[in-house]
């Protein structure tokens, strides 16, 4: 075994230790207090000076020995309100909360980059900024707050990655252009006229109106949009009535809209309005609705993406590098992609038939992929900040 491998094994073990510790203490979005303290201590051990742009994030700059641009690397740090069922020896000690998306792994990966690069300052022309971002799982989320507070003002490029269950273990997925969808929320209140279940002719039944409306809304994606432009509209919540023989007064439902192209977003939004108008008119009901624009689509910068992909090939074989499949999931890294050249890639941890999806109570990561992430990010940073001819 070469010396290089030995060093990497040590680093890999260290990264796994960090991940297992963080996994035991998951904290919800905007409440990542203990996590922040832990990250700060680890960064201080590496002779870095952690700071915070919003009071909820942790950011540390690693200055090279020479001047140059700022290359940022982002990890998200929040967990979810899920009761862990993995039976791992290092399972969550915060009952009801769980790192069920892999953000524990992301923190460990980026701590690993900090540890590795802190020994290579003589090769760095510029600064590596480590951004440990709070509240990825909520809207509004941490990325938006960080961008507003100026974390990217002097940054030339930013990179992030996600341990990804939908990609087979061992593979690394890159994609130029749109990777993750824009994710909006809408809510609708249908106002009918309540009455006795035996006398529907005297009432305006919001049960009937809302179910008609929902059926029509589901036809927007299948019948009104170009099938070559991916989009989703899903209703996740429907509330009405409280008694079997009473026609309720109103109905309430909420849903999500996912898209890659803002023109599609606009067209869905208009169609929802048109359909609500039409359905409610036809049943003599009225409605009130609200459309909330959420995370924008995550669009990878083509040249930065191909740069990081090339650097990744110094770490993993060409066969392991694949085109990432876009996801209609939202990811607030998108806010960074709107500001500076940015790229986000996937580290495959999936095992068909064996692994559980993100946000599942039995979700777990393949820890051996963390060192791969650390090495790719470190390699990309080093080359980006190497001496220019
Ligand atoms: Ni996530």
């Amino acid at each position: 075994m070469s010396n290089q491998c030995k060093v990497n094994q040590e680093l890999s073990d260290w990264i796994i230790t960090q991940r297992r510790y963080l996994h035991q203490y998951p904290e919800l979005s905007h409440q990542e207090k203990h996590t922040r303290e832990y990250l700060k201590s680890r960064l201080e051990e590496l002779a870095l000076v952690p700071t915070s742009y919003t009071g909820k994030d942790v950011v540390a700059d690693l200055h090279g020995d020479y001047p140059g641009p700022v290359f940022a690397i982002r990890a998200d740090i929040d967990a979810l309100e899920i009761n862990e069922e993995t039976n791992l020896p290092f399972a969550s000690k915060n009952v009801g909360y769980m790192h069920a998306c892999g953000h524990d792994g992301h923190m460990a990966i980026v701590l690993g980059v900090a540890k590795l690069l802190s020994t290579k300052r003589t090769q760095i022309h510029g600064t590596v900024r480590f951004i440990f971002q709070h509240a990825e799982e909520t809207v509004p989320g941490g990325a938006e707050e960080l961008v507003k507070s100026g974390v990217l003002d002097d940054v030339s490029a930013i990179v992030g990655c996600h341990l990804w269950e939908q990609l087979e273990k061992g593979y690394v997925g890159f994609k130029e252009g749109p990777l993750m969808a824009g994710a909006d929320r809408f809510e609708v209140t249908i106002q009918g006229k309540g009455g006795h279940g035996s006398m529907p002719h005297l009432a305006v039944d919001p049960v009937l109106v809302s179910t008609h409306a929902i059926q029509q809304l589901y036809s927007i994606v299948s019948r009104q949009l170009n099938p070559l432009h991916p989009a989703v509209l899903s209703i996740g919540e429907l509330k009405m009535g409280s008694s079997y023989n009473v026609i309720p007064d109103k109905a309430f439902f909420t849903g999500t809209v996912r898209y890659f192209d803002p023109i599609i977003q606009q067209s869905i939004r208009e169609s929802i309005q048109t359909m609500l108008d039409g359905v409610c008119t036809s049943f003599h009901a009225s409605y009130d609705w609200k459309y909330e624009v959420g995370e924008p689509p995550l669009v990878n910068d083509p040249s930065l993406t191909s740069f990081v992909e090339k650097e990744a090939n110094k770490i993993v074989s060409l066969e392991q590098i694949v085109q990432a499949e876009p996801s209609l999931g939202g990811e607030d890294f998108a806010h960074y992609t709107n500001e500076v050249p940015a790229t986000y890639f996937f580290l495959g941890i999936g095992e068909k038939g064996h692994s559980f999806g993100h946000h599942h109570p039995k979700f777990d990561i393949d820890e051996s992929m963390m060192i791969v992430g650390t090495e790719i990010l470190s390699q990309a940073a080093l080359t980006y900040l190497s001496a220019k001819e």
Side-chain angles (χ1 to χ4, degrees):
M1 190 188 267
S2 75
N3 195 35
Q4 180 66 27
C5 279
K6 191 160 165 266
V7 170
N8 289 350
Q9 190 54 53
E10 270 169 32
L11 182 60
S12 177
D13 292 344
W14 186 83
I15 291 167
I16 290 170
T17 305
Q18 307 313 315
R19 182 258 163 164
R20 290 186 180 185
Y21 179 85
L22 289 162
H23 189 82
Q24 292 176 68
Y25 302 100
E27 294 174 301
L28 293 185
S29 312
H30 297 289
Q31 298 167 27
E32 306 94 334
K33 187 170 179 294
H34 181 74
T35 307
R36 269 197 309 273
E37 291 310 316
Y38 185 79
L39 291 167
K40 278 190 217 159
S41 308
R42 297 291 76 72
L43 293 164
E44 279 162 2
E45 280 170 10
L46 301 170
L48 295 172
V49 184
T51 152
S52 182
Y53 281 71
T54 67
K56 298 180 199 164
D57 61 280
V58 176
V59 173
D61 282 354
L62 189 154
H63 299 291
D65 284 354
Y66 308 94
V70 181
F71 183 88
I73 299 175
R74 175 272 207 169
D76 39 14
I77 70 172
D78 53 334
L80 293 150
E81 201 161 357
I82 291 174
N83 227 335
E84 178 158 357
E85 293 172 17
T86 61
N87 287 322
L88 289 166
F90 52 87
S92 171
K93 292 199 162 98
N94 294 350
V95 178
Y97 301 159
M98 176 187 176
H99 268 297
C101 194
H103 301 185
D104 50 342
H106 302 162
M107 287 185 269
I109 287 169
V110 176
L111 281 174
V113 179
K115 187 170 168 68
L116 184 61
L117 294 187
S118 62
T119 63
K120 297 185 190 291
R121 289 179 192 260
T122 55
Q123 298 174 39
I124 296 173
H125 296 244
T127 297
V128 187
R129 175 164 300 160
F130 303 105
I131 302 175
F132 293 92
Q133 180 216 305
H134 61 292
E136 189 281 320
E137 302 281 2
T138 58
V139 180
E144 201 176 349
E145 291 179 358
L146 271 160
V147 167
K148 280 189 190 140
S149 55
V151 77
L152 296 185
D153 287 357
D154 52 353
V155 164
S156 300
I158 182 166
V159 181
C161 62
H162 208 301
L163 294 155
W164 203 239
E165 198 270 337
Q166 279 130 287
L167 177 62
E168 207 181 317
K169 173 181 163 174
Y171 290 90
V172 186
F174 292 92
K175 187 181 174 295
E176 297 176 13
L179 178 68
M180 309 278 287
D184 298 343
R185 177 186 181 277
F186 65 93
E187 60 176 62
V188 178
T189 304
I190 303 283
Q191 183 64 55
K193 188 172 160 225
H196 197 286
S198 66
M199 289 176 265
H201 59 295
L202 300 178
V204 173
D205 185 356
V207 176
L208 182 68
V209 181
S210 58
T211 51
H212 267 267
I214 289 169
Q215 301 238 15
Q216 287 210 20
L217 296 182
Y218 276 156
S219 73
I220 295 174
V221 172
S222 66
R223 300 288 91 178
Q224 297 199 357
L225 300 182
N226 181 339
L228 297 176
H229 291 268
V232 165
L233 182 155
S234 287
I235 309 291
E237 185 184 24
L238 170 59
K239 288 179 183 148
M240 52 195 173
S242 54
S243 179
Y244 81 102
N245 62 355
V246 176
I247 294 170
D249 193 45
K250 56 175 104 175
F252 173 81
F253 59 90
T254 64
T256 185
V257 169
R258 306 293 171 106
Y259 66 94
F260 290 113
D261 181 344
I263 292 170
I264 295 290
Q265 173 197 33
Q266 190 51 33
S267 136
I268 295 176
R269 189 175 178 161
E270 284 166 13
S271 292
I272 296 175
Q273 169 108 53
T274 308
M275 285 181 174
L276 291 174
D277 273 342
V279 172
C280 286
T281 304
S282 67
F283 286 111
H284 310 293
S286 61
Y287 72 97
D288 197 23
W289 85 302
K290 201 160 75 178
Y291 190 94
E292 294 164 1
V293 174
E295 308 297 5
L298 189 164
V299 183
N300 282 330
D301 179 75
S303 75
L304 185 67
T305 305
S306 80
F307 166 78
V308 177
E309 186 173 339
K310 263 192 220 109
E311 295 306 307
N313 189 208
K314 296 176 183 168
I315 307 298
V316 296
S317 71
L318 205 53
E319 293 71 49
Q320 286 172 275
I321 296 177
V322 295
Q323 163 110 344
E325 186 130 342
S327 162
L328 283 152
E331 162 60 61
D332 78 351
F333 189 85
H335 288 281
Y336 305 124
T337 71
N338 278 348
E339 300 296 316
V340 295
T343 195
Y344 197 69
F345 63 92
F346 293 148
L347 295 164
I349 54 166
E351 276 183 278
K352 266 210 179 85
H354 295 285
S355 50
F356 294 91
H358 297 269
H359 297 203
H360 189 284
K362 291 189 171 138
F363 173 81
D364 191 16
I365 63 169
D366 181 329
E367 292 179 322
S368 69
M369 283 307 283
M370 293 194 293
I371 184 72
V372 176
T374 295
E375 292 197 335
I376 291 173
L377 291 168
S378 303
Q379 181 62 47
L382 280 177
T383 305
Y384 194 92
L385 302 175
S386 62
K388 299 283 183 289
E389 301 302 305

